[in-house]
């Protein structure tokens, strides 16, 4: 049986290591997704080069007028028959209206063990608080920041030697495992 892959858009703002990882995952024969579109909120996002490299349509929007931008993006999602949105280091907060239009079809990856450490600078705060564990979470996006239903989490041990940079590196490595695993969990019976 030929697997019908879910048409997916990935939203980024920066480095795009998760984007690169998701593209590689999408190219596997048994992957449940196909990435048809990359949306960036930043023209200088390094991650855009992965869209170019893998020949994926890319669009950049500055979000100066959020509601207009979101309307344009929704149209773009429709034109490209997108059925799933994966946020991966996307630094803009989507409006309630946008989320409603795509309810249950937007995922995000966050570099902490939610509900702990929502928002920005997670690694700095984890180190400052001398936490023994941190990690990452893939969750559905709802109208509250980093508060949607959790799909999967992975714990990471924080060592006494860790600083925000080393912790970020450790967590990112796990993020790259977790996002594909979460997609498999919700899209297939694997
Ligand atoms: C990741 O740590 C992700 O969890 C967070 O932003 C970072 C993006 O990294 N939301 P990258 O752009 O995918 O390399």
């Amino acid at each position: 049986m030929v697997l019908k892959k879910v048409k997916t858009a990935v939203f980024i703002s920066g480095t795009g290591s998760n984007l690169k990882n998701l593209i590689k995952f999408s190219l596997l024969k048994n992957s449940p997704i196909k990435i048809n579109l990359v949306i960036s909120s930043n023209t200088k996002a390094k991650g855009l080069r992965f869209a170019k490299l893998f020949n994926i349509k890319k669009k950049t929007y500055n979000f100066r007028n959020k509601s207009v931008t979101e309307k344009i993006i929704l149209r773009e999602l429709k034109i490209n028959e997108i059925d799933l949105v994966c946020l991966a280091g996307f630094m803009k907060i989507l409006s309630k209206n946008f989320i409603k239009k795509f309810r249950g079809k937007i995922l995000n990856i966050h570099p902490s063990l939610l509900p702990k450490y929502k928002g920005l600078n997670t690694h700095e705060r984890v180190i400052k608080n001398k936490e023994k564990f941190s990690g990452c979470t893939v969750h559905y996006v709802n109208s509250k920041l980093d508060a949607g239903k959790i799909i999967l989490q992975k714990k990471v041990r924080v060592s006494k030697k860790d600083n925000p940079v080393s912790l970020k590196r450790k967590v990112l490595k796990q993020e790259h495992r977790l996002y594909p695993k979460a997609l498999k969990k919700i899209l297939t019976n694997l």
Side-chain angles (χ1 to χ4, degrees):
M1 198 182 84
V2 184
L3 184 77
K4 195 160 180 281
K5 298 194 176 194
V6 177
K7 288 185 182 170
T8 302
V10 182
F11 287 25
I12 62 164
S13 300
T15 318
S17 72
N18 276 290
L19 167 65
K20 181 184 173 202
N21 182 61
L22 287 177
I23 294 174
K24 290 198 161 164
F25 169 65
S26 74
L27 296 173
L28 299 176
K29 195 167 167 256
N30 287 323
S31 168
I33 61 160
K34 178 175 192 303
I35 299 174
N36 296 64
L37 182 65
V38 172
I39 301 263
S40 174
S41 65
N42 171 8
T43 40
K44 296 202 171 79
K46 279 193 191 165
L48 283 169
R49 73 193 150 109
F50 298 119
K52 192 155 184 241
L53 199 63
F54 290 91
N55 232 337
I56 299 169
K57 183 173 178 184
K58 58 178 179 354
K59 294 269 172 179
T60 303
Y61 304 99
N62 61 27
F63 278 78
R64 227 168 277 145
N65 184 328
K66 189 164 157 176
S67 72
V68 170
T69 305
E70 287 190 341
K71 270 189 196 135
I72 297 171
I73 294 178
L74 281 169
R75 201 182 310 140
E76 199 60 44
L77 296 179
K78 200 167 179 189
I79 291 169
N80 291 280
E81 298 174 331
I82 297 299
D83 235 347
L84 182 74
V85 168
C86 290
L87 308 184
F90 183 65
M91 299 301 283
K92 299 285 175 193
I93 295 174
L94 296 166
S95 72
K96 273 186 187 163
N97 177 54
F98 187 98
I99 293 165
K100 210 168 89 189
K101 294 249 162 69
F102 242 73
R103 199 196 293 278
K105 294 179 175 183
I106 309 176
L107 311 186
N108 182 40
I109 185 148
H110 184 78
S112 79
L113 291 174
L114 291 173
K116 289 179 106 179
Y117 300 101
K118 294 174 183 172
L120 296 176
N121 305 320
T122 50
H123 306 306
E124 284 80 357
R125 288 184 283 143
V126 164
I127 296 285
K128 204 172 159 204
N129 289 346
K130 299 189 174 17
E131 295 280 2
K132 291 205 168 59
F133 293 96
S134 187
C136 46
T137 305
V138 176
H139 64 94
Y140 287 103
V141 171
N142 67 11
S143 57
K144 292 197 188 113
L145 184 69
D146 300 328
K149 187 174 175 234
I150 291 171
I151 300 165
L152 275 183
Q153 291 189 303
K154 175 73 185 174
K155 235 183 192 183
V156 168
R157 190 181 287 279
V158 184
S159 83
K160 289 209 175 90
K161 287 186 200 148
D162 272 323
N163 55 46
V165 175
S166 66
L167 182 59
K168 180 181 172 176
R169 204 179 306 130
K170 265 191 199 174
V171 171
L172 209 47
K173 202 171 161 195
Q174 295 308 323
E175 289 182 34
H176 296 162
R177 293 191 177 151
L178 197 70
Y179 221 153
K181 220 171 150 186
L183 287 163
K184 278 191 194 165
K185 183 178 172 188
I186 60 163
L187 298 173
T188 70
N189 296 321
L190 300 177

